[in-house]
Amino acid sequence: MKKSYISLLLCLTILTAFLSLTSDVYAETPTAASHLARFHSITTLADVAANGYITLDKEHVIDGFTLNSGKSGKKKDCIVYAAIHSVLGRVALFFADADGNIIYKTEDLECNYVEKGALSQPNISIAAIGTRDVNNDGLLDILLITHCIYDGVEYKIGDILFQNAKTGGFYRDWRISDKINRFNMNTDINMMDAFAGGGQSSEFLYSAATMDELMEGGFKPLKYQTFDANFEKFGAVSVVPGTYKMGSHYIFVLYLVDKEGRVLWNFQAMRDYDNFSEMPGISFKDVDGDGWADLSVLANYIKLDDNDETHAVTDFSIYYQRDGYFFEDTDFHKAFVSKLTGRETMDDVVQAARKYWGW
């Protein structure tokens, strides 16, 4: 069968099975044991949908993947299909031959451990899936990113499955997955590969104790937007916004640095945006009326939608100074961010926040 027909066959097979789902999929309250039994029972593409998994996104089907069989040295050509359980939000990868038979499947994925110990998980779509020989062993590995929503917050979860040259199948290194997600290296496949395969990492952005360490790691201050300020509980400091380039992406972080070059605080204003564009405003004014200067940042970012189209987004962050620490605003941000037009100045945001707090 030609590869050009494989994805179409696969999607039509799953769609047909999904449309003919019987009520028994939802007739029982799922348990870990019943879900596992159903998962192990999946042997064909039709079984995938009949057991509650569905996605019709052809872009996330990988044709012509070569699966290593282990000690025998035999290799099988297959199609890789990422699917999300329609009830449980769990993600699984299914490897099927040209006839639609499942030759390997797994749901041992980082995105299925977001809610520790829970059967249901907050995955809502596949953000990206790709292949790379990450560890240079001659076998293609799977790189996966899912889109999640948990407690109203959107974010991504990245994971890498390495083919096992000795036993066949795949294995995960949870330490790699942990760092990919903890240090915001899950924006795209290339960024994950740059970390796990190329040795590049953004971890230093969050652990560096001095500005010298940041500069040695590749952090680039925004020279003309670095300012000296006086924060009552921190004294005379420098506020240093800047970026770190990883792949084609710029990670945006701000630092509070004392006169000796020691990092007193870092501000991660970028949230889950895919790329930093520019910082049109920064303020050191008291926002909440407690008499202490607060830090406010207005920035432009790039966000990818589900169709991989880019959109320019303006967002802001306000950090209220407290007794020896900063507290990030969430109440005003939630109330005001949807009203931004992209034409606001930093002062517009500060004044709106002051009005919100009643002064």
Side-chain angles (χ1 to χ4, degrees), residues 89-358:
R90 300 181 68 86
V91 177
L93 296 181
F94 298 95
F95 297 72
D97 64 19
D99 295 320
N101 299 308
I102 304 300
I103 57 179
Y104 183 83
K105 58 183 180 287
T106 182
E107 63 166 19
D108 180 18
L109 304 167
E110 186 73 11
C111 60
N112 290 333
Y113 299 103
V114 176
E115 290 237 49
K116 304 296 184 185
L119 185 59
S120 297
Q121 297 296 325
N123 303 290
I124 60 170
S125 66
I126 306 300
I129 187 171
T131 61
R132 300 281 194 283
D133 182 5
V134 178
N135 53 359
N136 296 312
D137 63 353
L139 299 173
L140 286 177
D141 307 307
I142 300 289
L143 298 89
L144 176 72
I145 303 174
T146 60
H147 179 206
C148 305
I149 296 182
Y150 180 67
D151 197 23
V153 179
E154 297 186 26
Y155 56 93
K156 294 177 178 177
I157 296 291
D159 202 9
I160 300 177
L161 284 78
F162 298 91
Q163 281 210 62
N164 195 321
K166 294 182 179 179
T167 64
F170 294 83
Y171 67 91
R172 295 173 55 246
D173 188 328
W174 66 267
R175 297 165 298 181
I176 290 177
S177 299
D178 174 66
K179 288 197 173 184
I180 285 172
N181 295 293
R182 188 146 50 100
F183 300 111
N184 300 321
M185 294 183 286
N186 53 18
T187 295
D188 67 9
I189 299 298
N190 292 329
M191 182 179 282
M192 289 163 55
D193 187 30
F195 167 64
Q200 196 176 357
S201 177
S202 63
E203 182 175 355
F204 78 99
L205 294 173
Y206 311 98
S207 62
T210 67
M211 182 54 61
D212 286 342
E213 288 181 46
L214 288 168
M215 299 290 283
E216 289 170 5
F219 174 74
K220 303 293 184 184
L222 298 176
K223 183 178 179 181
Y224 298 106
Q225 291 174 298
T226 297
F227 300 95
D228 292 330
N230 192 306
F231 289 92
E232 292 78 3
K233 295 299 179 178
F234 292 86
V237 297
S238 294
V239 178
V240 186
T243 61
Y244 175 62
K245 187 178 181 182
M246 194 166 181
S248 60
H249 295 268
Y250 289 88
I251 301 172
F252 177 55
V253 187
L254 300 94
Y255 298 92
L256 211 63
V257 182
D258 68 15
K259 296 302 181 182
E260 285 72 41
R262 293 172 298 198
V263 174
L264 304 178
W265 206 267
N266 69 63
F267 304 90
Q268 301 165 33
M270 192 167 172
R271 295 188 174 86
D272 194 42
Y273 292 112
D274 295 286
N275 214 338
F276 170 75
S277 179
E278 61 178 346
M279 187 188 76
I282 190 167
S283 168
F284 316 114
K285 296 178 180 179
D286 179 14
V287 175
D288 57 353
D290 63 0
W292 293 350
D294 304 308
L295 179 65
S296 305
V297 182
L298 184 67
N300 296 329
Y301 303 99
I302 301 297
K303 189 172 182 64
L304 294 175
D305 62 19
D306 292 337
N307 298 316
D308 288 333
E309 295 183 358
T310 59
H311 301 272
V313 180
T314 299
D315 203 345
F316 67 92
S317 296
I318 298 176
Y319 302 93
Y320 301 116
Q321 186 184 178
R322 295 295 184 258
D323 193 3
Y325 68 97
F326 285 86
F327 178 79
E328 184 175 3
D329 169 272
T330 55
D331 294 337
F332 170 67
H333 183 272
K334 185 182 296 184
F336 191 72
V337 67
S338 62
K339 301 177 182 178
L340 290 176
T341 64
R343 298 187 295 272
E344 290 81 5
T345 65
M346 186 76 262
D347 193 56
D348 292 333
V349 175
V350 169
Q351 294 305 319
R354 286 178 169 179
K355 184 177 180 181
Y356 179 86
W357 294 116

Side-chain angles (χ1 to χ4, degrees), residues 63-67 76-78 80 95 131 140 142 163 170:
D63 291 338
F65 186 85
T66 301
L67 186 65
K76 298 180 179 179
D77 291 331
C78 58
V80 185
F95 297 72
T131 61
L140 286 177
I142 300 289
Q163 281 210 62
F170 294 83

